[in-house]
Amino acid sequence: MAEISRNYLLLLLFSLLVASSAYGKEKKDEPVVTYDERSMIINGSRELLFSGSIHYPRSPPEMWPDLIRKAKEGGLNLIQTYIFWNIHEPVQGQFNFEGNYDFIKFIKMIGENGLWVTLRVGPYVEAEWNLGGFPYWLKEVPNIIFRSYNEPFMEHMKKYVEMILNMVKKEKLFADQGGPIIMAQIENEYNNVQLAYRESGTKYVKWAADMAVGLYNGVPWVMCKQRDAPPTVISTCNGRQCGDTFPGPNGPGKPSLWTENWTAQYRVFGDSPSMRAAEDIAFAVTRFFARNGTLNNYYMYYGGTNFGRTSSSFVTTRYYDEAPLDEFGLQREPKFGHLRDLHRALKLCKKPLLWGKQHVQKVSEDLEITTYEKDGGKICAAFLTNNNTRIASSINFRGLDYYLPAKSVSILPDCKTVVYNTQAVVAQHSSRNFVVSEKAKAKNWEMFKEKIPTKTDLHEKSKSPKELYSFTKDTSDYAWYSTSINFDRRDLPMRSDILPVLQVASLGHALLAFVNDEFVGFGHGSNIEKSHVFTKSINLKPGENHISLLAMTVGLPNSGAFMEKRFAGPRAVTIQGLMAGTLDITNNHWGQQVGVSGENMQIYTEEGLKKVKWVPYNGTPGPVTWYKTYFDAPEGNDPVALRMVSMAKGMVWVNGISIGRYWVSYLSALSKPTQEEYHVPRAFLKAKDNLLVVFEETGGNPEKIEILTVNRDTICSVITEFHPPEIMTWERKENQFRAVVDPVKAAYLTCPDNKVVETVEFVSFGEADGACGAFLPGKCDSTKAHKVVEQQCLGKNTCTIKFDRELLLDDVGKDSCPDIAKTLAIQVKCGHSKLSID
């Protein structure tokens, strides 16, 4: 009997094991990530995906945890990043995946924080990145044509893509391996250049898609802005208004995905400020989700810094600073908070959005009602839209009137209650402050002046100046060109008030000219027109004259067709105004050298700086001059920056690490530098004696360089009569939409980094103008409101001020401006409490 029982138990256990194995096999055979015409489906569940671009090489690894944490706090569940070929394989066959190039570590960190990843393999990334991400050596492959059905290019592209995918597979980072990567991208905005390649372009698109899917098909592949994307990949939208401009994917069974929603505009040197309002982004995103979109990616969510020489032509060191997280990783409010609240509002609509039936009603030319309903209307969400950019309206929906500000969408997760309006910013605002450090003072500036080389000093010789890109091979921004010419006294102008003129026609990007060791001048092109003609009067002497040019690039191009065929540098050099007329010296035989001597000796490092003789700064600005000093790390933990407005153009190194190009002498149309402050990550600093080295090209005063700390301790709130309560008031639980707490219209303020409100700087209850950090008082102010804010907020990390007339008006019933809708505007300054300092 015992034997029978034992055999029975063994048989039962075996049956369970077989069943378990069969179940496991059945589950394994189901794709972890798939999609249909409605949405991405992950682990069998439809998902609303809120994504943001964060590029690993644009910040040190020490910043990654905080950036990812803040992205998650902002309501993101997906991070998008490119993989940058040229930083990983700068020399063919030599690879670098260390430090901020360790994309595997970055992806793992994202997964550990419970977020998914979109891997944009490219290999063309654009991204305002040097050569669009292609390594320079690729240009020199015989007979190559980038991004075309070209055997040399396709061979190297496939080899690179396969290497990256194998690295990712080895670490089991794809979703079907248990990792966070749910989607990958091949190529990038190819439609922009496809026509230039004719039939080879069409064949290339199909080849690229087939190649990618053939190498790995465990997750979906996408191609952005690719109208003829093959059936195996999803075509997606890039732009600012994809809710209104995207015709949808190019085939059945594919969802509507927005892979680049530009949160502002990247800047090039010479640009004026570029802003995009949080309200405009929120409107565009809401329109997209109301029109069957289910993935939105903010490009960028955090832009970061173009360290070293990584930025493309004329692009500033600071990248997408106007993103929800600014260059320093600080939350740019209200962009961060307003979009966070939008994500919460859309999540409240998830059930009807993803499983409901859509119905669109055009009320008028500008007014529109979109509903999603399920289970006979028991589960319902509505989007009420006012497309008029100037005039507010009311809309009647199911028997109730709803106020809609101009160009706005209201979200009603239960088809009754407005929880969010794209124009009504409930989230707090902030203003960024740059504070001169008391502790980090530069000590004893010293200088080293580059020798202006002559033809005989330069070992590389050719008849005419070499083309700049192919000469430097992207190893330096700089190249010297020098020639010598003899003049008889009778060759030169006889009148003392007439001087010869040096003219250099250059294909870009900039150059300095010297004649007989004398600085003549500086000329440059622009991002739009890189070619330029340098023309300056010069002093010549009887006998031998030395003409030296320091030509330079400001990043390599990153876009357009036939990128492998771009050129730069001086192409024609003449001297005008001689007694015999104009003299063409282009073919006068030139000596040449890649880089400047200080750069080649790496005098920006502790070891390299010993190779030259430094002398105390003499107070006289001069061209091609190196400056060095030491400074201690600034007080506190706030981010650090250098204010470079006393300089002109050049590069900066801190402890041997290049923080990028500066160019403050290139003024915008507003007569201001495009970028004044330059980020120095705390991770680059030691507690004491940090080496700061500056190479100044045209002349500046290093003693006026300021070392700053950066904060967003100025926070504000602006609430009107028409604002809804905070989004956290609501939840959807067990298919029921309900209020968690009593809905209260209020101003909500929270100081960053556990600081507390130390000063109330501005309060108005009535009518105010301006913006956070620069409010202007209006009519109908209230002194009582100021006292209420002080009572509720001083000394606290978080405070709430109810929008209540009885609470805020000086004298209820005696409103001095009863016809004006009230606005509650508050500005406070945060700081560390004395208790926390002690």
Side-chain angles (χ1 to χ4, degrees):
M1 185 72 177
E3 184 67 24
I4 293 172
S5 297
R6 191 169 71 86
N7 289 340
Y8 174 77
L9 288 171
L10 287 171
L11 182 63
L12 179 63
L13 180 61
F14 178 74
S15 300
L16 289 170
L17 286 170
V18 169
S20 173
S21 175
Y23 174 78
K25 185 175 187 304
E26 180 184 60
K27 283 289 184 184
K28 189 175 181 182
D29 289 344
E30 293 180 4
V32 173
V33 185
T34 185
Y35 58 85
D36 59 17
E37 69 284 349
R38 186 67 197 100
S39 73
M40 301 291 293
I41 301 170
I42 305 172
N43 294 319
S45 175
R46 295 189 181 281
E47 293 291 346
L48 295 176
L49 295 171
F50 307 108
S51 175
S53 290
I54 300 176
H55 296 159
Y56 55 95
R58 284 174 157 141
S59 59
E62 290 83 355
M63 288 182 66
W64 295 348
D66 188 59
L67 295 173
I68 295 168
R69 176 184 61 80
K70 287 176 177 174
K72 189 172 183 178
E73 287 178 2
L76 301 193
N77 52 13
L78 178 64
I79 299 293
Q80 180 199 92
T81 187
Y82 285 120
I83 305 297
F84 299 81
W85 188 356
N86 56 3
I87 63 172
H88 296 308
E89 194 179 5
V91 177
Q92 189 173 3
Q94 297 180 20
F95 299 97
N96 183 359
F97 295 98
E98 302 297 319
N100 65 331
Y101 296 172
D102 190 350
F103 77 91
I104 295 291
K105 178 179 179 179
F106 182 64
I107 292 170
K108 286 182 176 179
M109 200 177 288
I110 295 170
E112 288 163 2
N113 280 270
L115 303 178
W116 291 307
V117 175
T118 297
L119 194 71
R120 305 180 85 179
V121 182
Y124 170 70
V125 299
E126 191 167 355
E128 292 65 63
W129 194 260
N130 212 33
L131 207 57
F134 291 134
Y136 186 84
W137 59 261
L138 196 67
K139 278 183 57 143
E140 300 188 325
V141 172
N143 303 314
I144 198 164
I145 302 174
F146 290 179
R147 306 177 72 197
S148 175
Y149 196 79
N150 168 268
E151 287 294 341
F153 178 73
M154 294 189 297
E155 177 189 345
H156 286 285
M157 174 173 169
K158 182 178 180 182
K159 184 178 178 181
Y160 162 77
V161 171
E162 189 169 17
M163 177 190 71
I164 295 298
L165 296 181
N166 286 340
M167 289 180 67
V168 173
K169 286 191 289 185
K170 181 182 176 183
E171 299 294 333
K172 301 187 184 305
L173 294 177
F174 283 112
D176 62 326
Q177 299 176 299
I181 299 172
I182 61 167
M183 189 162 46
Q185 179 181 308
I186 195 72
E187 248 299 331
N188 188 43
E189 297 190 353
Y190 190 65
N191 267 160
N192 291 348
V193 298
Q194 185 170 335
L195 286 177
Y197 298 102
R198 302 179 183 272
E199 184 183 346
S200 291
T202 304
K203 290 168 65 178
Y204 170 67
V205 171
K206 185 178 186 308
W207 171 84
D210 291 345
M211 181 267 293
V213 175
L215 289 175
Y216 197 79
N217 65 354
V219 298
W221 285 87
V222 301
M223 281 181 162
C224 59
K225 293 180 77 170
Q226 195 60 47
R227 292 184 297 272
D228 59 344
T232 51
V233 300
I234 306 168
S235 59
T236 68
C237 185
N238 288 2
R240 286 197 177 202
Q241 306 293 339
C242 285
D244 291 297
T245 61
F246 187 45
N250 67 323
K254 299 179 183 181
S256 288
L257 310 178
W258 191 352
T259 40
E260 286 190 21
N261 181 356
W262 304 321
T263 52
Q265 172 67 38
Y266 70 89
R267 295 193 204 176
V268 299
F269 289 114
D271 274 352
S272 297
S274 169
M275 305 297 291
R276 188 183 180 196
E279 296 91 329
D280 184 68
I281 301 174
F283 177 84
V285 173
T286 308
R287 290 284 289 168
F288 185 69
F289 278 87
R291 293 188 163 196
N292 291 317
T294 51
L295 181 155
N296 168 73
N297 177 74
Y298 301 104
Y299 190 97
M300 301 288 297
Y301 196 76
Y302 166 74
T305 305
N306 292 314
F307 299 113
R309 303 175 48 257
T310 55
S311 62
S312 63
S313 302
F314 287 81
V315 172
T316 57
T317 304
R318 175 180 291 164
Y319 189 60
Y320 270 93
D321 182 48
E322 291 79 13
L325 299 178
D326 70 14
E327 182 190 12
F328 306 97
L330 303 174
Q331 292 168 198
R332 178 177 287 279
E333 301 285 15
K335 195 169 285 187
F336 178 90
H338 194 45
L339 297 178
R340 173 202 60 210
D341 292 350
L342 171 59
H343 305 148
R344 289 171 178 166
L346 290 170
K347 285 176 185 176
L348 291 172
C349 304
K350 181 177 178 179
K351 284 267 185 181
L353 265 179
L354 293 178
W355 286 274
K357 184 178 180 181
Q358 185 198 52
H359 179 262
V360 180
Q361 177 189 352
K362 287 287 290 182
V363 178
S364 67
E365 183 180 351
D366 294 321
L367 301 179
E368 182 178 289
I369 299 170
T370 303
T371 56
Y372 286 86
E373 295 187 84
K374 187 178 181 294
D375 294 343
K378 293 179 181 177
I379 299 175
C380 178
F383 298 86
L384 311 182
T385 302
N386 178 9
N387 273 309
N388 193 298
T389 58
R390 295 179 180 274
I391 303 172
S393 295
S394 289
I395 195 168
N396 187 277
F397 175 57
R398 298 189 176 180
L400 296 175
D401 288 327
Y402 294 87
Y403 173 78
L404 291 175
K407 196 183 179 183
S408 73
V409 184
S410 284
I411 300 176
L412 292 67
D414 61 348
C415 287
K416 296 177 185 175
T417 310
V418 174
V419 301
Y420 184 91
N421 178 274
T422 59
Q423 197 65 223
V425 178
V426 176
Q428 70 183 27
H429 303 231
S430 69
S431 177
R432 185 165 64 191
N433 306 303
F434 292 95
V435 182
V436 177
S437 171
E438 293 295 326
K439 181 180 176 184
K441 300 294 184 183
K443 308 167 186 174
N444 304 320
W445 282 97
E446 293 183 303
M447 60 185 284
F448 164 72
K449 192 168 179 59
E450 287 273 335
K451 179 181 183 294
I452 309 304
T454 64
K455 178 181 172 181
T456 55
D457 296 325
L458 305 175
H459 301 298
E460 190 86 21
K461 300 292 195 293
S462 65
K463 186 177 181 181
S464 58
K466 291 188 173 184
E467 191 277 318
L468 190 55
Y469 288 157
S470 58
F471 185 39
T472 62
K473 299 186 189 304
D474 196 30
T475 58
S476 171
D477 277 6
Y478 309 107
W480 280 111
Y481 299 86
S482 186
T483 192
S484 298
I485 186 166
N486 276 284
F487 290 109
D488 188 271
R489 181 70 190 87
R490 288 170 297 180
D491 296 325
L492 304 177
M494 303 303 290
R495 288 173 49 179
S496 60
D497 62 330
I498 295 177
L499 293 175
V501 171
L502 175 67
Q503 179 170 292
V504 184
S506 174
L507 295 171
H509 298 163
L511 63 83
L512 302 173
F514 300 83
V515 176
N516 297 326
D517 209 32
E518 178 187 350
F519 178 50
V520 175
F522 171 62
H524 63 87
S526 68
N527 183 54
I528 296 172
E529 184 52 69
K530 295 165 182 66
S531 297
H532 61 99
V533 177
F534 173 90
T535 306
K536 289 285 185 179
S537 61
I538 58 176
N539 291 304
L540 295 174
K541 62 184 181 180
E544 187 175 41
N545 291 264
H546 303 291
I547 297 174
S548 300
L549 307 175
L550 182 61
M552 60 192 75
T553 56
V554 189
L556 271 60
N558 73 316
S559 62
F562 302 106
M563 289 172 58
E564 72 284 349
K565 293 180 172 62
R566 308 294 177 81
F567 305 102
R571 63 174 179 83
V573 186
T574 60
I575 300 176
Q576 302 168 354
L578 299 173
M579 293 300 286
T582 297
L583 179 65
D584 188 338
I585 60 171
T586 309
N587 296 317
N588 195 52
H589 293 277
W590 295 73
Q592 285 141 132
Q593 171 187 291
V594 175
V596 293
S597 60
E599 179 187 29
N600 295 335
M601 290 185 287
Q602 298 186 340
I603 67 173
Y604 47 81
T605 65
E606 289 287 358
E607 285 301 312
L609 63 84
K610 299 171 186 174
K611 297 176 183 178
V612 301
K613 181 176 176 57
W614 297 85
V615 298
Y617 172 57
N618 61 15
T620 303
V624 290
T625 304
W626 295 81
Y627 302 98
K628 77 174 178 73
T629 189
Y630 289 88
F631 68 95
D632 294 340
E635 59 278 8
N637 297 310
D638 289 337
V640 180
L642 299 175
R643 181 172 283 141
M644 301 293 295
V645 290
S646 65
M647 307 303 285
K649 181 181 183 297
M651 296 190 75
V652 188
W653 291 260
V654 173
N655 293 329
I657 305 170
S658 173
I659 65 168
R661 303 179 180 99
Y662 68 88
W663 195 352
V664 293
S665 61
Y666 194 165
L667 303 182
S668 73
L670 302 179
S671 299
K672 294 264 293 179
T674 301
Q675 181 178 343
E676 296 183 353
E677 299 87 16
Y678 291 79
H679 183 204
V680 182
R682 285 269 181 184
F684 292 2
L685 299 178
K686 304 177 293 184
K688 291 184 173 296
D689 296 325
N690 294 282
L691 174 63
L692 170 60
V693 177
V694 178
F695 177 57
E696 171 56 49
E697 297 166 10
T698 66
N701 181 0
E703 291 182 327
K704 292 187 178 180
I705 293 173
E706 294 178 310
I707 301 167
L708 315 168
T709 58
V710 191
N711 67 63
R712 287 190 174 272
D713 290 346
T714 301
I715 61 172
C716 308
S717 182
V718 182
I719 302 295
T720 73
E721 307 267 8
F722 307 106
H723 278 60
E726 189 187 31
I727 189 66
M728 292 299 287
T729 302
W730 315 98
E731 70 173 6
R732 185 182 289 277
K733 194 169 185 179
E734 297 175 353
N735 290 333
Q736 295 296 315
F737 174 79
R738 64 183 186 182
V740 182
V741 296
D742 289 337
V744 175
K745 186 182 303 183
Y748 301 89
L749 295 167
T750 300
C751 287
D753 303 321
N754 296 315
K755 296 175 184 176
V756 298
V757 176
E758 61 179 20
T759 309
V760 176
E761 296 182 326
F762 179 89
V763 178
S764 171
F765 186 65
E767 192 177 51
D769 201 0
C772 190
F775 279 122
L776 299 172
K779 293 182 288 185
C780 315
D781 204 357
S782 167
T783 55
K784 183 180 178 184
H786 195 285
K787 293 176 182 176
V788 169
V789 174
E790 286 187 333
Q791 291 168 359
Q792 298 287 343
C793 295
L794 282 176
K796 297 178 182 177
N797 172 253
T798 300
C799 60
T800 302
I801 310 298
K802 291 182 180 179
F803 191 100
D804 185 329
R805 287 173 174 266
E806 289 191 19
L807 178 69
L808 299 172
L809 280 176
D810 282 333
D811 191 355
V812 179
K814 292 185 179 179
D815 188 347
S816 58
C817 296
D819 298 330
I820 292 179
K822 296 294 182 285
T823 296
L824 173 61
I826 304 170
Q827 178 176 309
V828 303
K829 182 71 179 295
C830 300
H832 291 287
S833 67
K834 292 181 181 179
L835 185 62
S836 66
I837 293 172
D838 295 340

